[in-house]
Amino acid sequence: MSIDEKRFADRDDQNYRNAQVTSEAIVVRTKAPVDPPEMLLTGYSSNHITLYWEKPALFTPLPKKDVYGCSNCIKRTLIGYRLDVNGRTHTKLGPAAQNCTLTNCKADKKYTIVLIALTTTDRDHKKRRKKVQMESKGTDWRANSAISIDRETNKEDQDEYDEAVSKPVEVVLPRPQPGALVSLEVDFTRNANKKNANEHRFGFLRVQWSMQLEGDETTSLSDSGIEGFDISYTSSHDNKEHTTALPISATIYEIPIKAERSVYNISVQPAYSDDYYFAQTQSVQFQCPGSPDPPQLCCPQMKHADHFNIEWGEPKLYGGVDIKGYQVYMNDKKIGNVLHPSHRKAVIPCRPQTQYAISMIALSADSNFDDSMPSEDIVIVTASEYQGSDTFRSTTSTTSTCSVDTLNLIQDVFAYIKDVTDNTVTLNWTVNGVDDRDIKYIKVQWSSVASPQVLDTKLASDETEYTIYRCTSGTNHFIRVFAMGKKEKVICKSKQLTVQTSAAITTPILSLRSCTFTHITVSWQEPRTYGDTKLTGYKLGINGADDIDILPHITTYTFTKGEMCKVYRFTIQALCNKENLHSSLSNPLVVTWPGVLPPVLRRVPTNKRNSIKVAWNDLYTTGGVKIAEFKGICEGDCYEERKGRKGLKNMVKRQEVGSLHPEIRVVEFINLLPNTDYNIYLEIKIHGLESPVKSEPIMGKVASVPGPPEITVKVHGVEERTELDAKVCGYINQRDRLLQQLDRYQCGNPLASKPNVQIARLTSTVADIETDLLQCLQDLQPYSGTFDVDVEWEPAEDDGDAIVTGYQVLVSDKPHGSLLNAYVQQTRLKLSAYIPVHKVSVVTVTNHPVGNSEPSNVIPVYSEAFLPYSFFCFHSVHSKNTQYPNEGCCTYSDSLAREMDPDTARPYTIAAVNMGLLKRRVPPAAVTVLDVFEGAWHLLIPTRLRKPTVILFWTKWCLASRIAMDFFVRYSREHGKRISFITCCCASYESTSSHRHSLAEIIVENAWRNDRSIRHCCSCHSTTPGPHSSRKSASSSDKRTPRSKLGHDDVTSSTDSLKNVTGVAELFGIQGVPTFVVINPEGLIAWQGRYAACEYSAFQTFADHILCEAMDVRCHADCELCLEKSKSQEPTMTPLPGNPRSVKVTISEPPEVTSNWFEEDGVKTGPTLHPLPSGPSMRPRGPTIRPMTSKPQNRGIMKTLSPNDSRPQSAMGQPTQAPSKRMRVGRPKSSYSH
């Protein structure tokens, strides 16, 4: 540099001056976040996640600057929380929230969840409040102080909030597959057993889980391969893993809590078999409750010498155990009342030149847990009041002791409340720095809001406690303690104490906060407390049954286990630390869970095959629910063949019918498989609800044919008819026997001393018997021709589709009567007795296309017992194809009327039709008859007989003949080896072309044919041989010569012409059928007549008896017919059973010696012939029967006797037929009179 340049530079330096310019201050605040919150996963399922966290500490004391300066602190305000899921903001929560449930989650999806606590300092929070107040432009900002977190965070300065980010929680929800754990929840349970309260004083953790089952709920877990459960847990207290094996039936496990405030990590793992493998399940955590941490104190710098301030923050809480207040200690003694839990600042009066050790305890709101430990002491030393506030110092020490002897303490009275009830207040006090000798007495002075008048009392100088009685409950009382000296001078006094007496907690008022398909949330305001009563919790009742304990700081409750359309009544009671001061039960809050009540499905008839139709009534909805649509679902199990394999495969067929309009109330499923069970239910879609509501399913099949009923049949009148038949048979046989005897007496009885008296007695007895017989025949009329049958059945069950509309009775597979109503279960039928068997059944009738049911069980009803009583029919009385009650229907009443008519000719009398044992035996007529089955003509009776022969003359269509035919054929099968049996059909009046074939069919159908024991013949078209007949033709009858060789080719087929031709029946004197003729081995007619038998045993006795008579041998010793004969010659009259007017007349005959041809060595066999020796000594002693003298033309057999080898054409001569007459009205007359 040159000299000039240097000169100019120095000159410039001399002209410059230094100047300092200060800019505006920039306020910069550093971040002061709280400790990150610890978020815990407390439960999950396949669609929700439950989280829990504790509120972070907002108060942080700062270290003091010097030993004389006061300590400072950082005070923060919690704005709220932000929950981020998978890197995105999911929701924002208020500052009071401590749990959150994420719903509508997806299974098998990973969720990363982060909780962010948003805080700011109290100073900045006040600035924002003020800014909001200014923006409100005159509105009361205090009324709008509850600014939501959304409004706060949407400010432009939201970046100034301090964020504390928790550790991320990763959750993978389980997949709902069979055999997998789908839900896991953990909850805290207090120990209710006082005996083991010391052992488990902290309670239990209740772990509950559920599994996904395959199919319905009845499927066992073992079918999913699960053998049990392994539950493991660790505690932050000891960091040891505990494992427990549980059985397969376990779903709940309780873990005892051994240390409070510890965090448990719990996992439940199903123990699968080797064939199953599943991933590890998600574990859950739980924060155990415990006593709160001690609060942190600080004492900012104060400029007042008579008092100082202390501040503290809310301590950290554990497991929802809240605090009920704070207690300040000065020099290890309680001072003042318990401070409200919302207080964060307190003013403590002080004296100059005094040292104070201040600490604080947080009081637990749960009596099961202790209060917090004392906080760290703050030691404060005050200077003289003349030194000013600059000498005020505060120090922090870990000890609560201080040396007070080195200080000149100001005389003072420290008073505090010891106990408060609803009507008493107990206080204690201490007097410091005053000689007890200077204190004359202690005066306690008090007043209250309810009683403003000041009251006082004097106590001894050494008293330190006093109780004020008769206080008003729930009222503020003002109390002061004075130490009085001489001359009523106040030496020292305490600060005025304000205390409120206890009273019952006010009743909370419930209100409905929200009501959705998933939950009901109720809320209430915190009730007011009085005095030292502290709110310890709530007891919430639901429908008067469930009592739920709720912590005191919670004012809402969400109920999630409700059912649609069900009414719930919520009540609440506030609980306090004194049992007698609980609040009363609140008025019930009635809430109806919104939803729809699933309808009850019912099956309705359908007119289609293979279809099912169901219907339902209108739905009951609540909460303004609107139905979107219906969907009907039909699921059924069916079987179909596997392709390429043998066997069947079970397939599930599903049919859906939807979407149906909300106004529709019926749905029909078509084209279903028969014989398949279907599960039918209805899905109701509701607006606002994703999952549909399902009704209860009903089981059903497609319409099937209704089942036939099970019937029972009862026939009326069987016993009555049987009893009447037996009576009639007895009357007929007795009448015939008496008439035979009467006929003998009328013809002359040389053994009778007074025949006229005997005839009169017999005639009277016969008249009485005929009267009773007519009465019995009249009683038989209701039981003849038709009969009643009761048919009963149980109603058939239908399937609700093919509905039973009625029942149809079938008789022999044909409908009988009209259709019966579906409610009818019995009916009475009137059936004809002329049909042998009625097959009765019932069919269930339905209008459905599936048709009627099959016939029920078929019950045959036999009608033979109700045919008209037929015992004997005259040829001229009965006629073919005539039914009861028409004349000629083969009823015995018609023949009896002919017999009882006084004007009846000889052929219709008993002497003509029932001759009985012939005393003078004659040979039968030699006539040819037609063999029914061979079709050849031959003699009725061979010329040479080796054994007795019994002939039954009958008519194929005659009812009486067919009854006798049954007995006759049965008897022939038993004695066919020793006796010859012949049946001869006569007087049928049918044409030749069809008669033999129809006769053979009848014999075969009734099982009457037996060629070894019986021969069936027909004489309906046989005529008398005439003059050209010779012995040679008769003797050659065994050669079965055809009809053309016998001269019968000219037999006419005309029915009318046959009636005028002399037949075989007329040659034998057969006036009616059935008639029995017995021919002994000598070829002579020994017996001819009739007999009434209602059962085979009676017929068998009759046949044995007449054969014995015909063979001239004695009957069995127990023969009933022989016993009926009188043992004396005079007629003996005995009353008949059941009727004292009717008598039985018998005439005794001498006993006949010899053998019994029915028994050989004790065995019943055929007849063995032992003829009686001839001679007068062996002749019968009975009367000789001769024809009536009044009618000699009918003596017949008495005039036509001839040897065997020259048989006459007729044994009785040509009968003369009398006109048929009906019975007269009135008392019937006997066939005989004298």
Side-chain angles (χ1 to χ4, degrees):
M1 178 182 295
S2 63
I3 297 174
D4 295 334
E5 291 176 355
K6 186 177 181 182
R7 186 183 302 148
F8 283 108
D10 295 338
R11 188 182 300 172
D12 292 336
D13 293 337
Q14 294 176 359
N15 295 329
Y16 283 99
R17 295 182 180 178
N18 293 330
Q20 293 181 354
V21 180
T22 304
S23 65
E24 294 183 358
I26 299 176
V27 179
V28 178
R29 184 181 67 83
T30 60
K31 296 290 185 179
V34 296
D35 294 336
E38 183 179 0
M39 186 167 51
L40 305 177
L41 174 65
T42 60
Y44 64 86
S45 67
S46 58
N47 58 4
H48 84 275
I49 300 172
T50 303
L51 304 171
Y52 176 82
W53 61 89
E54 295 288 357
K55 184 177 181 181
L58 303 176
F59 187 86
T60 304
L62 297 177
K64 60 183 181 179
K65 297 181 179 179
D66 51 52
V67 294
Y68 298 103
C70 295
S71 61
N72 207 344
C73 60
I74 300 176
K75 295 178 288 184
R76 306 177 186 85
T77 299
L78 180 61
I79 303 301
Y81 302 95
R82 186 177 76 242
L83 195 66
D84 293 351
V85 179
N86 292 340
R88 295 183 179 180
T89 300
H90 177 74
T91 185
K92 296 177 182 179
L93 306 172
Q98 287 187 257
N99 56 71
C100 179
T101 301
L102 304 180
T103 58
N104 298 328
C105 301
K106 296 181 179 180
D108 202 22
K109 183 179 179 180
K110 182 178 181 181
Y111 291 92
T112 303
I113 307 170
V114 176
L115 182 66
I116 303 171
L118 303 177
T119 59
T120 184
T121 60
D122 288 353
R123 184 176 180 182
D124 290 344
H125 186 64
K126 291 179 181 179
K127 288 182 179 181
R128 289 187 179 88
R129 289 284 187 181
K130 187 175 181 180
K131 184 177 181 181
V132 172
Q133 181 183 4
M134 294 177 61
E135 291 177 356
S136 300
K137 293 182 180 181
T139 59
D140 189 2
W141 66 275
R142 291 179 178 84
N144 300 324
S145 60
I147 303 174
S148 65
I149 184 173
D150 292 335
R151 182 176 178 183
E152 290 285 348
T153 55
N154 287 334
K155 300 293 183 178
E156 296 179 356
D157 54 356
Q158 62 180 355
D159 294 337
E160 296 183 6
Y161 289 133
D162 301 331
E163 296 183 355
V165 183
S166 68
K167 293 181 180 180
V169 175
E170 295 182 353
V171 182
V172 178
L173 296 182
R175 181 184 302 173
Q177 57 185 356
L181 187 75
V182 294
S183 69
L184 180 60
E185 301 287 342
V186 60
D187 196 4
F188 172 72
T189 304
R190 298 188 185 276
N191 183 21
N193 190 359
K194 296 182 179 179
K195 294 183 179 180
N196 57 356
N198 296 329
E199 182 179 357
H200 304 295
R201 54 173 300 201
F202 303 114
F204 299 88
L205 292 184
R206 184 184 179 90
V207 184
Q208 187 172 1
W209 62 92
S210 63
M211 304 295 296
Q212 178 71 28
L213 299 179
E214 182 178 1
D216 54 7
E217 296 182 356
T218 59
T219 304
S220 61
L221 291 175
S222 59
D223 295 339
S224 302
I226 299 177
E227 298 179 349
F229 298 96
D230 294 333
I231 180 169
S232 61
Y233 58 92
T234 59
S235 172
S236 61
H237 173 68
D238 53 7
N239 292 326
K240 293 182 180 180
E241 184 177 1
H242 304 271
T243 304
T244 303
L246 301 178
I248 191 174
S249 60
T251 57
I252 298 175
Y253 182 71
E254 291 185 348
I255 301 174
I257 301 176
K258 297 183 178 181
E260 63 178 10
R261 304 196 301 184
S262 58
V263 178
Y264 278 78
N265 187 16
I266 307 168
S267 64
V268 177
Q269 179 65 38
Y272 299 97
S273 61
D274 297 339
D275 297 337
Y276 293 82
Y277 176 76
F278 289 86
Q280 294 292 327
T281 59
Q282 183 78 40
S283 61
V284 295
Q285 300 82 35
F286 191 83
Q287 173 66 61
C288 297
S291 57
D293 284 346
Q296 294 181 333
L297 301 178
C298 72
C299 180
Q301 186 176 3
M302 302 294 292
K303 296 184 178 181
H304 300 281
D306 58 347
H307 65 271
F308 59 89
N309 297 345
I310 60 173
E311 295 182 2
W312 64 92
E314 182 180 6
K316 185 177 181 181
L317 306 178
Y318 298 91
V321 178
D322 207 348
I323 58 176
K324 64 179 180 179
Y326 302 96
Q327 180 64 58
V328 180
Y329 285 80
M330 175 185 290
N331 297 335
D332 296 335
K333 296 181 179 181
K334 294 181 181 180
I335 61 171
N337 299 324
V338 177
L339 301 178
H340 195 270
S342 62
H343 289 176
R344 297 293 180 268
K345 185 185 295 186
V347 178
I348 301 177
C350 61
R351 298 294 183 182
Q353 299 180 1
T354 307
Q355 177 176 329
Y356 300 96
I358 306 298
S359 62
M360 181 178 289
I361 293 177
L363 304 179
S364 174
D366 192 342
S367 60
N368 295 312
F369 296 95
D370 299 333
D371 299 333
S372 70
M373 298 296 294
S375 65
E376 188 178 357
D377 289 347
I378 299 177
V379 180
I380 299 174
V381 180
T382 59
S384 173
E385 58 182 347
Y386 302 106
Q387 293 179 359
S389 62
D390 293 338
T391 61
F392 184 86
R393 298 180 293 113
S394 67
T395 60
T396 303
S397 174
T398 59
T399 178
S400 61
T401 61
C402 61
S403 178
V404 297
D405 296 337
T406 59
L407 300 176
N408 295 324
L409 299 178
I410 304 299
Q411 300 170 1
D412 200 359
V413 177
F414 294 94
Y416 59 93
I417 303 298
K418 180 180 180 181
D419 186 30
V420 178
T421 65
D422 55 344
N423 56 5
T424 63
V425 176
T426 302
L427 69 154
N428 287 19
W429 61 87
T430 59
V431 180
N432 298 324
V434 179
D435 191 356
D436 295 339
R437 294 174 294 181
D438 296 336
I439 300 174
K440 185 177 181 180
Y441 61 91
I442 299 297
K443 182 173 69 174
V444 179
Q445 189 179 76
W446 70 91
S447 64
S448 65
V449 175
S451 300
Q453 182 180 0
V454 179
L455 303 176
D456 58 15
T457 184
K458 294 180 179 180
L459 304 173
S461 60
D462 57 349
E463 293 286 342
T464 59
E465 182 177 327
Y466 181 70
T467 300
I468 304 174
Y469 295 96
R470 292 181 294 180
C471 299
T472 305
S473 60
T475 305
N476 288 335
H477 290 72
F478 310 102
I479 308 171
R480 191 185 291 269
V481 180
F482 297 91
M484 305 299 293
K486 298 178 180 181
K487 297 182 181 180
E488 301 296 328
K489 181 180 179 181
V490 177
I491 300 176
C492 59
K493 62 181 179 179
S494 69
K495 189 176 180 179
Q496 179 176 299
L497 302 177
T498 302
V499 63
Q500 190 179 50
T501 53
S502 302
I505 302 177
T506 58
T507 303
I509 300 176
L510 287 174
S511 61
L512 181 63
R513 187 168 184 177
S514 62
C515 182
T516 65
F517 294 113
T518 58
H519 68 274
I520 295 176
T521 302
V522 295
S523 62
W524 60 91
Q525 293 183 353
E526 185 176 347
R528 183 178 178 182
T529 59
Y530 300 94
D532 61 346
T533 56
K534 303 300 179 183
L535 181 66
T536 58
Y538 303 93
K539 182 174 289 186
L540 183 69
I542 302 176
N543 288 343
D546 300 332
D547 291 334
I548 302 171
D549 294 330
I550 301 176
L551 297 177
H553 65 279
I554 298 176
T555 57
T556 61
Y557 179 77
T558 301
F559 179 62
T560 59
K561 298 181 180 179
E563 299 177 4
M564 284 189 175
C565 303
K566 188 174 181 180
V567 178
Y568 294 93
R569 298 168 58 90
F570 296 89
T571 57
I572 193 170
Q573 182 183 19
L575 308 177
C576 69
N577 54 346
K578 299 181 179 180
E579 294 183 359
N580 60 332
L581 298 179
H582 296 327
S583 72
S584 59
L585 202 63
S586 67
N587 294 328
L589 175 64
V590 181
V591 183
T592 304
W593 195 287
V596 59
L597 193 64
V600 178
L601 300 182
R602 67 181 186 278
R603 189 165 179 176
V604 295
T606 177
N607 56 359
K608 297 179 182 179
R609 287 180 176 268
N610 298 331
S611 64
I612 297 178
K613 182 186 289 187
V614 295
W616 59 92
N617 297 329
D618 293 339
L619 277 66
Y620 174 73
T621 60
T622 56
V625 171
K626 293 184 178 180
I627 299 174
E629 62 182 21
F630 294 109
K631 180 185 290 185
I633 298 176
C634 179
E635 296 177 348
D637 292 339
C638 62
Y639 295 87
E640 62 181 19
E641 296 183 0
R642 300 180 182 178
K643 296 182 179 180
R645 297 183 181 180
K646 296 182 179 180
L648 300 175
K649 183 180 180 181
N650 188 5
M651 302 293 293
V652 177
K653 293 294 184 180
R654 178 183 175 94
Q655 185 178 146
E656 296 184 0
V657 179
S659 305
L660 302 176
H661 193 270
E663 299 297 329
I664 293 178
R665 295 293 181 268
V666 65
V667 62
E668 185 174 8
F669 305 93
I670 60 175
N671 299 328
L672 301 178
L673 297 176
N675 300 324
T676 303
D677 292 327
Y678 286 95
N679 194 25
I680 304 169
Y681 59 93
L682 190 69
E683 288 187 353
I684 304 101
K685 183 67 176 179
I686 301 175
H687 288 290
L689 186 62
E690 294 183 1
S691 58
V693 179
K694 296 181 180 180
S695 68
E696 288 293 331
I698 61 173
M699 298 295 295
K701 295 182 179 180
V702 296
S704 59
V705 177
E710 187 75 17
I711 68 170
T712 57
V713 172
K714 180 181 179 181
V715 181
H716 288 274
V718 176
E719 297 179 357
E720 293 83 351
R721 175 61 188 266
T722 303
E723 183 179 355
L724 290 174
D725 285 348
K727 287 183 178 181
V728 170
C729 290
Y731 287 139
I732 290 174
N733 293 329
Q734 293 181 25
R735 176 177 175 271
D736 286 354
R737 185 169 59 256
L738 292 177
L739 288 177
Q740 287 180 357
Q741 296 176 2
L742 186 60
D743 184 69
R744 294 174 184 176
Y745 276 101
Q746 288 178 342
C747 293
N749 188 357
L751 299 180
S753 60
K754 298 179 180 180
N756 293 332
V757 177
Q758 295 176 355
I759 292 175
R761 290 179 179 178
L762 287 175
T763 303
S764 177
T765 303
V766 170
D768 292 339
I769 292 176
E770 289 177 348
T771 301
D772 296 335
L773 177 60
L774 291 174
Q775 182 63 41
C776 288
L777 292 176
Q778 184 177 0
D779 294 340
L780 280 173
Q781 293 180 2
Y783 308 104
S784 301
T786 59
F787 59 98
D788 294 334
V789 176
D790 284 345
V791 184
E792 296 183 1
W793 62 88
E794 292 294 332
E797 296 183 358
D798 54 43
D799 55 4
D801 199 348
I803 297 178
V804 176
T805 58
Y807 300 94
Q808 179 64 58
V809 179
L810 302 181
V811 178
S812 300
D813 299 331
K814 294 181 180 180
H816 184 88
S818 60
L819 181 66
L820 301 177
N821 191 279
Y823 299 100
V824 176
Q825 299 183 25
Q826 64 179 358
T827 184
R828 175 166 290 187
L829 310 179
K830 185 173 286 296
L831 303 179
S832 174
Y834 287 93
I835 300 176
V837 181
H838 298 274
K839 297 180 180 179
V840 181
S841 61
V842 178
V843 173
T844 306
V845 181
T846 177
N847 295 331
H848 198 273
V850 297
N852 301 334
S853 72
E854 295 293 331
S856 67
N857 55 313
V858 179
I859 299 180
V861 179
Y862 299 93
S863 60
E864 183 180 2
F866 295 95
L867 289 170
Y869 181 80
S870 183
F871 149 68
F872 181 83
C873 295
F874 289 107
H875 295 317
S876 61
V877 172
H878 68 164
S879 59
K880 182 180 178 181
N881 297 329
T882 303
Q883 296 184 358
Y884 185 85
N886 299 323
E887 184 177 358
C889 63
C890 292
T891 178
Y892 180 63
S893 299
D894 296 341
S895 298
L896 180 62
R898 184 69 57 89
E899 294 177 7
M900 296 177 61
D901 191 348
D903 300 330
T904 301
R906 171 69 181 180
Y908 301 101
T909 62
I910 297 301
V913 299
N914 190 26
M915 292 182 292
L917 182 66
L918 300 180
K919 295 301 179 179
R920 189 171 184 179
R921 303 174 184 181
V922 297
V927 294
T928 57
V929 293
L930 179 66
D931 190 282
V932 175
F933 295 101
E934 294 181 2
W937 294 88
H938 56 83
L939 289 175
L940 175 63
I941 303 172
T943 55
R944 296 180 181 178
L945 298 178
R946 296 182 179 179
K947 51 186 177 180
T949 301
V950 182
I951 304 174
L952 170 63
F953 288 92
W954 68 295
T955 302
K956 76 167 190 176
W957 45 261
C958 177
L959 179 59
S961 299
R962 301 183 71 164
I963 296 174
M965 190 72 168
D966 288 332
F967 296 156
F968 188 76
V969 172
R970 182 175 175 183
Y971 188 82
S972 68
R973 290 172 180 169
E974 296 177 358
H975 305 283
K977 293 182 179 180
R978 293 177 173 84
I979 304 173
S980 296
F981 295 92
I982 301 173
T983 64
C984 184
C985 179
C986 62
S988 62
Y989 309 120
E990 293 182 345
S991 61
T992 308
S993 58
S994 60
H995 175 69
R996 186 176 72 87
H997 297 286
S998 62
L999 182 60
E1001 291 178 358
I1002 292 175
I1003 294 174
V1004 173
E1005 288 177 359
N1006 292 274
W1008 293 338
R1009 181 177 181 180
N1010 189 356
D1011 296 339
R1012 294 182 179 180
S1013 61
I1014 191 168
R1015 181 161 59 94
H1016 297 281
C1017 304
C1018 178
S1019 66
C1020 295
H1021 307 98
S1022 300
T1023 60
T1024 178
H1028 62 276
S1029 300
S1030 61
R1031 181 178 179 182
K1032 180 178 180 180
S1033 62
S1035 63
S1036 61
S1037 61
D1038 292 338
K1039 297 183 180 181
R1040 310 289 174 93
T1041 308
R1043 184 179 61 176
S1044 59
K1045 295 183 179 181
L1046 295 175
H1048 294 284
D1049 294 336
D1050 56 348
V1051 177
T1052 178
S1053 61
S1054 173
T1055 304
D1056 297 334
S1057 61
L1058 286 175
K1059 292 184 179 181
N1060 298 322
V1061 178
T1062 302
V1064 175
E1066 295 177 357
L1067 293 177
F1068 275 81
I1070 305 300
Q1071 304 299 324
V1073 290
T1075 299
F1076 300 93
V1077 177
V1078 181
I1079 301 176
N1080 59 18
E1082 288 79 11
L1084 302 177
I1085 299 177
W1087 195 95
Q1088 181 174 333
R1090 65 183 184 181
Y1091 185 79
C1094 59
E1095 56 185 10
Y1096 176 72
S1097 61
F1099 178 83
Q1100 186 180 23
T1101 302
F1102 156 73
D1104 294 343
H1105 178 75
I1106 64 174
L1107 284 172
C1108 290
E1109 288 183 340
M1111 298 300 295
D1112 295 330
V1113 296
R1114 179 177 293 277
C1115 293
H1116 297 283
D1118 56 350
C1119 177
E1120 296 179 0
L1121 298 180
C1122 294
L1123 294 176
E1124 290 180 357
K1125 294 183 178 181
S1126 175
K1127 295 182 179 180
S1128 62
Q1129 293 182 356
E1130 293 293 333
T1132 302
M1133 290 173 283
T1134 58
L1136 291 176
N1139 192 344
R1141 296 185 305 163
S1142 299
V1143 295
K1144 179 171 65 175
V1145 181
T1146 58
I1147 300 177
S1148 63
E1149 295 183 357
E1152 298 177 351
V1153 274
T1154 98
S1155 60
N1156 192 337
W1157 62 286
F1158 277 100
E1159 293 185 3
E1160 292 182 0
D1161 298 332
V1163 180
K1164 195 171 184 180
T1165 62
T1168 302
L1169 301 180
H1170 298 282
L1172 293 173
S1174 61
S1177 61
M1178 298 303 296
R1179 292 179 182 178
R1181 297 181 180 179
T1184 302
I1185 302 177
R1186 288 180 295 179
M1188 296 176 62
T1189 57
S1190 60
K1191 298 179 180 180
Q1193 67 274 14
N1194 293 330
R1195 299 173 75 174
I1197 193 171
M1198 306 299 293
K1199 293 183 178 182
T1200 57
L1201 298 178
S1202 61
N1204 277 342
D1205 56 354
S1206 178
R1207 299 181 183 178
Q1209 295 182 3
S1210 174
M1212 298 295 296
Q1214 291 290 337
T1216 59
Q1217 296 182 358
S1220 175
K1221 296 182 180 181
R1222 303 302 297 171
M1223 299 177 61
R1224 297 178 181 179
V1225 180
R1227 175 179 173 86
K1229 296 182 180 180
S1230 174
S1231 300
Y1232 299 92
S1233 60
H1234 55 85

